[in-house]
Amino acid sequence: RSLQKGVSLLESLVALLVLAMGVLGMLGVQLKTMADSQTATNRVLAARLAEDLFERMKANATGTAQPYSLSSDWAAVTAPASSARCDAEICTSAQQATFDVWRWQTTVRNTLPGGNATTFLAPSDNQQLGVMVSWRLRNTDQTGNSAADTARAGWLNVDVGGGPTCPAGSACLVSYAKP
């Protein structure tokens, strides 16, 4: 009987250890699910934002994608002069295109984490507008460093032959449309 002293306590400690490991495992799965859910949400937002620019382009009916092309430049579009703010003034098609791209790019930057966007003429068809929307991955800092998201960045990064490339540490969505 003296050999059995403390066995119940030891069994209880082992059971607590097993329970703690199970709870930590479930917590890890929950965190991974939340991260993937955020990535999916950002991807849907990026698709909706690309669709928004295409709708603006169709409403302007210039007949060409050229006025909407930023020539693969990731720089922010300069705000149009107050006389060319087409939400309050009557504008030409070219002014409307400049205003649309500025308003759209501003919306992308304000909607997605680390959001940025550019437009370009499709390498295979210069009548087709390409849109690339990028956003910073959840665990990525401003410089793009993240061990946790390196694998995820690989399948969310896209390369457009002859067009823009996705910035480092970002996920990108590419979409095309004709006016």
Side-chain angles (χ1 to χ4, degrees), residues 150-166:
T150 301
R152 190 175 301 147
W155 60 266
L156 289 172
N157 198 330
V158 292
D159 182 26
V160 179
T165 57
C166 190

Side-chain angles (χ1 to χ4, degrees), residues 24 39 44-45 65 73 85 98-99 102 106 144 151 168:
L24 286 175
T39 300
V44 168
L45 284 171
D73 188 7
R85 295 277 173 105
T98 301
F99 178 76
W102 169 76
T106 302

Side-chain angles (χ1 to χ4, degrees), residues 91-160:
C91 296
T92 65
S93 289
Q95 289 172 321
Q96 183 68 49
T98 301
F99 178 76
D100 286 346
V101 171
W102 169 76
R103 164 90 31 104
W104 171 75
Q105 195 180 56
T106 302
T107 302
V108 169
R109 289 172 184 263
N110 292 334
T111 303
L112 292 168
N116 202 351
T118 190
T119 63
F120 56 96
L121 294 177
S124 60
D125 180 1
N126 66 0
Q127 289 300 309
Q128 194 172 37
L129 183 71
V131 169
M132 185 178 281
V133 179
S134 74
W135 64 94
R136 188 176 59 248
L137 292 167
R138 186 170 106 23
N139 293 330
T140 307
D141 63 18
Q142 295 293 339
T143 61
N145 297 323
S146 171
D149 283 328
T150 301
R152 190 175 301 147
W155 60 266
L156 289 172
N157 198 330
V158 292
D159 182 26
V160 179

